[in-house]
Amino acid sequence: MKVTLNWLRQYVEFPWSAEKLSDRLTMLGIEVEGMQKTGGEFEGVVVAQVLTREKHPNADKLSLCRVHDGQGERQIVCGAQNFSAGDKVPLILPGASLPPKLGETSFTIKVGKIRGVESQGMMCSPQELGLPDAVDGLLILSPDAVVGQSFAAYLGKSGSDVVYDLEITPNRPDLNSLIGIAREISALTGNPIRLPIIASLPLGNELASEVTVQVQDSELCPRYTIRLIRGVKIGASPTWLKSALEAVGLRSINNVVDITNYVLLECGQPLHAFDFNLLRDRTIVVRRAFEGEKFTTLDGQERTLTSQMLMICDAEQGVALAGVMGGRNSEINPATVDVLLESAYFKSQSIRSTSKKLDLRSDASYRFERGADIGICDWASQRAAQLMVEIAGGSIVPGLVDIQPQVSPPKTITLRFAQTNQLLGIAVPAEEQSQYLKNLGFAITTNTDSVTVTIPSYRVDLKQEVDLIEEIARLYGVDRIPSTAPMGVVGSHPFDAVYDELGAARSVLSGLGLLEAQGQTLISSKSANLVSMEVIALDNPLSSDMNVLRPSLLPGLLDALSHNSHQSLHDLRMFEVGRVFTRSADTVREERRIAIAITGHRHTATWSGDEREARVDLYDLKGMIEEFLERIGLRGYSCQRREGVSNGLFLESATIQIGKQTLGEFGQLLPALAKQYDLRDAVFLVELNLDLVLARRNPNKTFKSLPGFPSIRRDIAMIVTESTTHESVLAVVRQLNPANLDKIELFDVFRGKNVADGNKSVAYAFTYRHAEKTLTDQEVNPVHDRIVAELKQKLSASIRE
Amino acid sequence: MSFLDQIEPLKQQALVDFNNASDLQSLDQVRVEYLGNQGKFTALLKQLGSLSKEEKPAAGKQINLAKVQMEAALAERREMLELQSALPKNPTDFTLPGRRHKLGKLHPLTQVTDDIVRCFRKLGFVVADGPEIEDDYHCFDALNTPADHPARDAQDTFHLGGSNRQLLRTHTSSVQIRVMEKQSPPIRIIVPGRVYRRDNADATHNPTFHQIEGLYVDKHVTMSDLKGTVEFVFKQLLGDEVKLRFRPHYFSYTEPSMEIDFSSPVVKKMGKDWLEIAGCGMVHPQVFKTVGYDPEVWSGWAFGFGIERIAMIRYGITDIRLFYQNDVRFLAQF
């Protein structure tokens, strides 16, 4: 909502500069989002009053004056002789410039010393201001000039002004008007609000016989009023009216329409003017539209209505979409002579849904849907009618049609003084609290510990005690509420520990050399379908790039890899910890996962070393998974190769199992997909269900004594078929449960020379150790020989001696 | 020349020769020359037996002393030459870059979230969590924002459809309701998490972003300690020199409500006096009634702010989309 400084000043006085006003409004809860000074003549010249005039200590012809500029006192050195204390004069403030004389550049006033005494501005002659009157000395202004007013405004010229763009919160529809803002200023300053004076309208009730009004749906239209102005002459608006509207961004249309808009801005009440002679049978009917009824609004659009929408009709057809926009068929036009002026109150929800359904918003619908003032209908109608008579001529037909079947008594709310202080943490005395409420223009009745407030109809936001506490907080100033530390309570929530576990997981992963990524939750169905066909789609996506919830972190990581690859960055190692969303049957599930993606060189680029060109492979990834799970405290998992063609993402992959549960899957990305994502090297991916990892982990640690006796190592090198897995070797050994076997380590896998195709040579180191003594060969050999024999038999291994 | 007179000059000569040996091999040659089986000094030693009984003790003492001295000198020289030979042929360039095993880094949003959480935990807050897929009730209705409320305009919501009108939460405030439904007061939680708004991505918007929500409910909770808490946290996060400004505002689920602006040299550099950073207020009595708390007994406050915004201010990031692009040159900076 836009307001101007000068327009506001018509309704209330305030001793503030433009900047100060902006600050005060902001601190009152009306945030000033923009502030624009509009030019004008006599910038920086104000009406000032000479308080004292004394001789200059160092110059006979000069005088030293104290002058009030409306904000405060200034010391001015002056050479003129034609004035005395009490006179009001134009004063140009430092920083402002005198209008340039022909052929000269303008002269800017500065604070400076004249004969050793500082002068903070300059009192002006008409010549200096470029005015036609010739006076020897200062321009003496009329005694009723307002000190502090801009000189331009004093002259009635379109002086400089300030346009404020205010953010009005949705709870305060009353602030969508100049008078509403003025009321707030009045509450803050204690200065009275000055409403425009409306001369008494002609008495009588001739209107009743001129027009028939029928409200068929008083639920959607609780109040409807009509006035009739006959004999107007449609034309251009006077300059003041045009410029008032234009200053706040409204286009001038014609005098009658401009007046309805002016009054709307002034008091917030939307008005509608019909060309009375275009209404059939001099009749107004307020009813719901018929389902599918067609109606052409003022903007020339034909709209299809529903039975939920409220229409204003004449005897035969719709003439306005109630509270939203008038109709083409009855609008004010150059030939209009008689104006039927509507001032009504419509139910906010109805206007809101109509305007939303038709995607049609107007200044009127904006105000009605937030909640208008049911009490102001008549006042606004009187104000507009009178302006029409003044500006467009014509006369008001005596009388008012006012249909309001249910008049509710004003609401009252009781505020306990102690409650204010308890909630805000301050001690505002009872009288002060009452005073704030009075300043807001509320009628109050004070009791011992409380005050009962009658809520004016325009304050639709005030419903209960706490709303009044907010009013007191605003006027007291939230900046004055002290900052104290809260009392010592320790909260509790089961997630608190999980938060730390997630942090620990992230920290292990970054320790493994992985950068943490954060992907979009919303991804394209195309990339989601790489992983799952059961995705959760948005009803109202913004674009097909982001139309489903991610069922996995992997598509997002692939996007991240791809983005980097396009920047010629090919050595990438990343992880993400995040939520994914899956659907099974009719339920949706949120699950935390971790995912890793690696590709490119194994080692950071360096200038020497044998492995410089090495690329990461599956076992780099697996090493990370093993290290991660060990650090998190998950043991006893196993890997199972997925046979056949896997789920569309992997060339080859394995699941990680713990018991019967699947923790996740890892493997190599399909080369075709890598190519599609513009990835140069092989890509290895893993995704694990982090909720499950955390649930199945055992983070407890117990100390095991350090070995006190030496161990004996025996190596076995053997040739086995390619299908013999490492796990199957371990299984053979585990089944024997060999005595004193401390650990088995695989230390070589070899294919090639002396190993037939389809076979491989594997070498294991077996370490035997006893906790309480040094083992002897005699103790170890039989055990070891049994292992060898078993491997030979079970795996058809041939032992290389 | 007498036997005794021969010892000293031979020893002196040996010491000179030892020192002149330029490498281990020539040192060994010199050693053999003096101390080998056929060595000059060994020869002298051998003569010791031919001396008279009277001469023997003094001569023996002197020759042994000389031998010890020679061996010590030899050892010293050897040690030095060994050290020399261990040195690389060409001196090492200590300015060459090292071979690094780079550690990964946490995403800047994670780091900022962790910092915020740390500040609140100092004040006894614990972290809580809730679903991102929400329903109308928890996201709006229970927060005193019924369907026809104009405040719903400000938040364009992603809907998932279905019979229960699921949606993506537009704020973490929905977790307030979930926690209060389950726990009785006192409550002191913070809720970091992802939220969703139907805004097209641009430099300041991403349909997914992060918020952190705080809720404190107890007896005698005041607006004064809301201000104290928020000030403490922002000063910890953004430095002591930041200035905070609270001004009245409107949120449907708090009353009174305030917005918080902050000012700092960074904000001034952006050409502004104040930058809006958070919203807060006293929990609306209607919200308490909805979750079954008696507003006459309990009071509380809540606040919320965007994590991206804090990160952008802290690091001087000007485009929110960078957080979700995962460019490694970006991620490696924090």
Side-chain angles (χ1 to χ4, degrees):
Chain A
M1 151 107 189
K2 283 185 175 164
V3 301
T4 70
L5 185 65
N6 290 342
W7 196 350
L8 267 180
R9 283 197 201 274
Q10 291 180 19
Y11 307 107
V12 67
E13 271 181 43
F14 45 92
W16 304 322
S17 67
E19 288 74 19
K20 182 83 175 167
L21 175 64
S22 160
D23 198 42
R24 297 309 295 258
L25 289 177
T26 296
M27 292 310 290
L28 214 46
I30 306 168
E31 194 185 351
V32 177
E33 291 187 318
M35 182 175 152
Q36 203 187 359
K37 294 199 179 181
T38 53
E41 296 171 85
F42 309 117
E43 182 80 48
V45 183
V46 298
V47 175
Q49 186 168 32
V50 180
L51 302 174
T52 60
R53 178 184 172 183
E54 281 158 23
K55 231 176 73 60
H56 191 292
N58 310 322
D60 289 346
K61 290 194 173 166
L62 298 179
S63 51
L64 180 60
C65 309
R66 295 212 67 80
V67 174
H68 201 283
D69 65 6
Q71 309 272 336
E73 283 183 27
R74 289 171 178 275
Q75 173 172 287
I76 308 285
V77 176
C78 185
Q81 303 298 331
N82 69 326
F83 71 99
S84 47
D87 281 346
K88 291 177 180 171
V89 294
L91 171 74
I92 183 160
L93 301 170
S97 303
L98 287 171
K101 295 205 174 87
L102 215 62
E104 292 175 20
T105 52
S106 61
F107 177 68
T108 303
I109 303 297
K110 294 183 190 112
V111 174
K113 284 190 176 172
I114 299 173
R115 292 281 182 104
V117 178
E118 189 173 273
S119 183
Q120 302 155 330
M122 182 178 118
M123 297 189 280
C124 305
S125 70
Q127 294 91 327
E128 283 163 334
L129 293 170
L131 294 174
D133 351 7
V135 177
D136 183 15
L138 301 182
L139 175 63
I140 307 296
L141 307 177
S142 73
D144 59 359
V146 180
V147 174
Q149 193 182 27
S150 81
F151 181 61
Y154 167 81
L155 291 179
K157 296 204 171 201
S158 68
S160 70
D161 203 348
V162 181
V163 182
Y164 296 96
D165 195 356
L166 307 177
E167 188 204 342
I168 306 299
T169 54
N171 62 325
R172 291 294 304 273
D174 63 301
L175 296 181
N176 288 309
S177 70
L178 270 297
I179 289 175
I181 304 293
R183 276 197 206 102
E184 294 279 293
I185 298 171
S186 156
L188 210 55
T189 55
N191 294 338
I193 188 103
R194 292 187 300 235
L195 294 181
I197 294 156
I198 300 175
S200 52
L201 300 185
L203 295 172
N205 198 11
E206 278 120 65
L207 182 61
S209 54
E210 297 259 12
V211 58
T212 315
V213 180
Q214 201 185 25
V215 176
Q216 292 181 352
D217 195 320
S218 57
E219 191 209 332
L220 301 190
C221 177
R223 188 176 185 188
Y224 197 81
T225 78
I226 283 294
R227 256 197 179 80
L228 182 59
I229 302 96
R230 281 199 184 278
V232 300
K233 195 167 175 330
I234 303 300
S237 291
T239 315
W240 70 264
L241 178 54
K242 255 189 204 171
S243 43
L245 295 178
E246 281 162 5
V248 297
L250 252 64
R251 197 164 48 90
S252 168
I253 294 166
N254 59 50
N255 47 11
V256 167
V257 174
D258 286 359
I259 287 165
T260 61
N261 283 333
Y262 182 84
V263 175
L264 164 82
L265 294 169
E266 182 173 60
C267 70
Q269 170 65 14
L271 300 171
H272 187 65
F274 295 101
D275 183 328
F276 186 50
N277 297 319
L278 295 177
L279 302 181
R280 292 159 212 221
D281 288 354
R282 303 171 162 205
T283 297
I284 288 283
V285 179
V286 182
R287 62 158 170 86
R288 285 173 190 244
F290 306 117
E291 196 67 42
E293 187 173 347
K294 301 268 196 269
F295 181 66
T296 305
T297 40
L298 273 176
D299 54 8
Q301 300 270 325
E302 193 191 59
R303 320 247 171 201
T304 307
L305 312 180
T306 75
S307 60
Q308 301 303 308
M309 299 175 179
L310 193 67
M311 287 292 287
I312 311 297
C313 307
D314 63 12
E316 289 174 15
Q317 59 177 12
V319 291
L321 194 54
V324 182
M325 196 174 271
R328 252 283 152 87
N329 54 14
S330 56
E331 72 178 308
I332 299 296
N333 58 76
T336 302
V337 180
D338 299 330
V339 173
L340 189 74
L341 181 66
E342 168 201 285
S343 176
Y345 177 88
F346 300 111
K347 193 181 174 192
S348 59
Q349 289 90 334
S350 155
I351 300 299
R352 189 177 146 80
S353 81
T354 299
S355 131
K356 214 172 180 180
K357 266 192 205 131
L358 297 177
D359 196 19
L360 174 63
R361 273 147 221 268
S362 63
D363 284 335
S365 73
Y366 178 83
R367 284 168 173 81
F368 279 127
E369 70 180 45
R370 278 167 168 70
D373 175 7
I374 199 168
I376 207 176
C377 296
D378 184 23
W379 187 93
S381 165
Q382 288 185 34
R383 168 78 168 146
Q386 195 161 68
L387 283 172
M388 284 181 198
V389 171
E390 277 170 27
I391 291 168
S395 59
I396 301 169
V397 175
L400 168 79
V401 175
D402 186 351
I403 301 175
Q404 187 182 10
Q406 274 193 316
V407 183
S408 331
K411 205 168 14 179
T412 58
I413 302 175
T414 299
L415 168 72
R416 294 162 294 172
F417 297 122
Q419 192 65 17
T420 305
N421 293 332
Q422 193 159 52
L423 197 66
L424 301 182
I426 48 178
V428 187
E431 312 78 65
E432 195 179 330
Q433 295 193 30
S434 299
Q435 189 60 47
Y436 288 135
L437 297 170
K438 258 196 271 185
N439 285 357
L440 282 162
F442 303 160
I444 62 166
T445 319
T446 318
N447 322 310
T448 327
D449 304 319
S450 65
V451 58
T452 301
V453 182
T454 306
I455 306 300
S457 58
Y458 55 84
R459 287 303 300 269
V460 293
D461 61 311
L462 302 180
K463 296 175 184 138
Q464 49 192 307
E465 185 181 37
V466 69
D467 299 324
L468 294 178
I469 295 177
E470 179 169 62
E471 293 306 293
I472 290 168
R474 291 194 310 123
L475 292 176
Y476 177 83
V478 294
D479 48 334
R480 285 173 62 202
I481 296 175
S483 298
T484 56
M487 290 168 294
V489 175
V490 176
S492 74
H493 194 273
F495 179 73
D496 196 53
V498 178
Y499 182 83
D500 287 337
E501 292 178 330
L502 298 179
R506 284 194 178 96
S507 133
V508 171
L509 293 166
S510 71
L512 291 170
L514 302 164
L515 285 171
E516 186 187 10
Q518 291 240 19
Q520 300 279 6
T521 303
L522 304 177
I523 63 174
S524 71
S525 52
K526 188 167 163 266
S527 54
N529 288 342
L530 289 176
V531 180
S532 166
M533 299 307 287
E534 283 284 306
V535 291
I536 300 166
L538 295 177
D539 257 7
N540 55 344
L542 279 164
S543 70
S544 59
D545 284 353
M546 293 189 166
N547 58 357
V548 300
L549 299 189
R550 58 180 180 191
S552 154
L553 302 175
L554 294 176
L557 279 181
L558 289 178
D559 285 337
L561 297 185
S562 182
H563 164 84
N564 283 289
S565 182
H566 291 145
Q567 314 301 315
S568 302
L569 300 161
H570 300 292
D571 300 327
L572 304 167
R573 29 184 72 207
M574 294 188 171
F575 77 95
E576 181 166 1
V577 172
R579 264 187 231 210
V580 304
F581 303 83
T582 54
R583 187 194 287 287
S584 59
D586 208 27
T587 57
V588 294
R589 256 172 60 82
E590 296 184 26
E591 180 181 299
R592 284 185 200 88
R593 294 208 181 149
I594 77 135
I596 300 176
I598 59 173
T599 181
H601 285 94
R602 175 174 294 151
H603 299 291
T604 311
T606 185
W607 42 269
S608 82
D610 298 336
E611 270 225 302
R612 268 190 294 175
E613 288 310 311
R615 305 296 153 112
V616 293
D617 65 19
L618 187 77
Y619 298 105
D620 290 298
L621 178 66
K622 185 154 186 240
M624 288 174 178
I625 299 169
E626 287 168 349
E627 186 66 18
F628 171 71
L629 292 177
E630 183 186 313
R631 290 288 297 272
I632 292 297
L634 190 90
R635 285 176 280 270
Y637 57 88
S638 62
C639 299
Q640 281 170 19
R641 187 174 186 282
R642 254 188 203 269
E643 298 301 336
V645 182
S646 75
N647 64 6
L649 204 55
F650 294 108
L651 172 67
E652 234 192 341
S653 70
T655 57
I656 301 178
Q657 304 286 139
I658 179 146
K660 284 195 175 121
Q661 286 173 305
T662 303
L663 285 181
E665 186 174 3
F666 71 105
Q668 182 181 347
L669 180 68
L670 276 172
L673 272 178
K675 199 170 167 195
Q676 197 180 311
Y677 279 89
D678 293 321
L679 302 170
R680 195 184 63 183
D681 300 320
V683 178
F684 300 91
L685 302 169
V686 61
E687 186 171 42
L688 302 176
N689 177 337
L690 189 53
D691 289 330
L692 193 54
V693 169
L694 295 177
R696 296 295 299 262
R697 81 196 192 116
N698 177 5
N700 298 335
K701 289 168 185 152
T702 19
F703 171 70
K704 259 198 278 181
S705 305
L706 304 181
F709 296 91
S711 60
I712 290 182
R713 172 173 162 160
R714 292 276 190 278
D715 290 353
I716 296 176
M718 56 188 175
I719 292 175
V720 291
T721 61
E722 284 284 6
S723 61
T724 308
T725 61
H726 171 63
E727 177 60 33
S728 61
V729 174
L730 298 185
V732 168
V733 179
R734 259 199 307 266
Q735 215 177 14
L736 285 175
N737 196 14
N740 302 324
L741 182 65
D742 190 31
K743 60 181 178 193
I744 320 172
E745 286 164 302
L746 174 69
F747 67 87
D748 190 41
V749 179
F750 176 77
R751 295 177 178 86
K753 210 177 158 201
N754 299 331
V755 180
D757 236 20
N759 287 335
K760 60 188 172 186
S761 161
V762 293
Y764 288 89
F766 290 76
T767 305
Y768 298 90
R769 193 196 293 279
H770 196 284
E772 279 138 22
K773 61 179 182 185
T774 302
L775 290 174
T776 62
D777 284 349
Q778 287 74 19
E779 286 167 302
V780 169
N781 289 347
V783 178
H784 190 69
D785 292 346
R786 212 151 59 82
I787 293 175
V788 171
E790 197 75 2
L791 289 172
K792 272 186 188 164
Q793 198 210 327
K794 291 260 172 74
L795 302 177
S796 315
S798 66
I799 306 297
R800 307 177 92 189
E801 303 299 340
Chain B
M1 208 190 280
S2 82
F3 179 78
L4 281 177
D5 292 341
Q6 288 176 50
I7 297 173
E8 189 58 24
L10 192 62
K11 184 189 88 183
Q12 289 302 338
Q13 185 55 49
L15 295 184
V16 170
D17 289 351
F18 289 165
N19 269 334
N20 286 342
S22 61
D23 55 33
L24 287 166
Q25 204 188 339
S26 47
L27 183 68
D28 203 48
Q29 277 166 20
V30 181
R31 182 190 61 82
V32 171
E33 192 184 317
Y34 288 95
L35 296 169
N37 280 339
Q38 309 299 320
K40 293 177 195 164
F41 195 79
T42 312
L44 212 56
L45 268 172
K46 284 177 183 162
Q47 289 177 33
L48 195 61
S50 61
L51 292 184
S52 69
K53 235 182 188 162
E54 294 72 32
E55 283 172 315
K56 230 185 220 170
K61 199 175 172 191
Q62 200 177 339
I63 200 163
N64 273 324
L65 185 65
K67 193 182 174 196
V68 167
Q69 282 172 348
M70 282 166 70
E71 277 171 345
L74 186 68
E76 194 185 334
R77 184 68 188 161
R78 180 177 290 126
E79 204 175 310
M80 222 196 95
L81 289 175
E82 268 170 358
L83 200 64
Q84 249 171 37
S85 75
L87 279 176
K89 231 194 301 185
N90 300 309
T92 299
D93 179 357
F94 282 92
T95 68
L96 277 175
R99 211 169 279 122
R100 291 175 70 161
H101 300 278
K102 285 210 168 145
L103 291 183
K105 290 189 172 180
L106 297 183
H107 194 280
L109 292 177
T110 303
Q111 295 189 37
V112 170
T113 305
D114 283 345
D115 287 347
I116 297 168
V117 166
R118 200 171 302 122
C119 295
F120 279 107
R121 279 182 166 174
K122 287 181 185 172
L123 300 174
F125 282 78
V126 296
V127 189
D129 188 33
E132 289 174 20
I133 296 179
E134 264 299 356
D135 49 39
D136 268 327
Y137 178 78
H138 289 90
C139 202
F140 298 116
D141 298 343
L143 288 162
N144 201 26
T145 320
D148 58 10
H149 198 286
R152 278 211 189 179
D153 266 357
Q155 298 180 344
D156 219 340
T157 312
F158 282 117
H159 288 280
L160 304 175
S163 49
N164 35 4
R165 290 282 293 155
Q166 281 172 320
L167 48 85
L168 291 178
R169 65 179 181 195
T170 55
H171 46 197
T172 41
S173 310
S174 50
V175 183
Q176 286 183 23
I177 303 299
R178 296 222 169 248
V179 171
M180 287 194 282
E181 279 173 344
K182 274 207 174 138
Q183 296 180 331
S184 16
I187 284 183
R188 196 178 273 200
I189 53 160
I190 45 167
V191 186
R194 285 192 172 195
V195 299
Y196 304 90
R197 303 240 175 119
R198 209 169 163 275
D199 290 321
N200 280 303
D202 61 25
T204 52
H205 296 90
N206 190 60
T208 301
F209 61 101
H210 292 77
Q211 273 190 344
I212 191 157
E213 181 86 11
L215 173 70
Y216 173 32
V217 182
D218 202 349
K219 287 173 181 158
H220 313 302
V221 174
T222 70
M223 194 138 156
S224 217
D225 48 51
L226 166 58
K227 286 183 72 178
T229 305
V230 170
E231 270 176 25
F232 170 81
V233 169
F234 280 116
K235 293 207 162 174
Q236 291 255 316
L237 276 180
L238 299 169
D240 273 336
E241 71 274 21
V242 306
K243 278 201 217 102
L244 290 186
R245 178 174 82 170
F246 293 79
R247 59 186 159 72
H249 197 70
Y250 168 73
F251 302 106
S252 52
Y253 40 100
T254 51
E255 183 89 9
S257 306
M258 299 185 289
E259 265 188 341
I260 305 163
D261 299 333
F262 93 108
S263 180
S264 74
V266 179
V267 176
K268 292 267 195 294
K269 245 186 242 166
M270 294 163 74
K272 291 182 175 181
D273 286 333
W274 297 100
L275 198 64
E276 182 187 315
I277 199 164
C280 63
M282 304 305 293
V283 178
H284 198 289
Q286 189 54 49
V287 174
F288 279 152
K289 282 183 202 155
T290 303
V291 297
Y293 289 6
D294 182 353
E296 284 296 309
V297 177
W298 304 104
S299 60
W301 44 251
F303 63 81
F305 53 91
I307 294 175
E308 278 82 353
R309 191 166 180 109
I310 304 283
M312 289 169 89
I313 290 164
R314 176 189 262 198
Y315 301 120
I317 296 166
T318 49
D319 192 329
I320 194 173
R321 288 168 295 195
L322 284 167
F323 289 116
Y324 297 94
Q325 224 163 44
N326 298 313
D327 190 304
V328 292
R329 296 165 301 181
F330 173 81
L331 297 176
Q333 286 182 35
F334 305 99

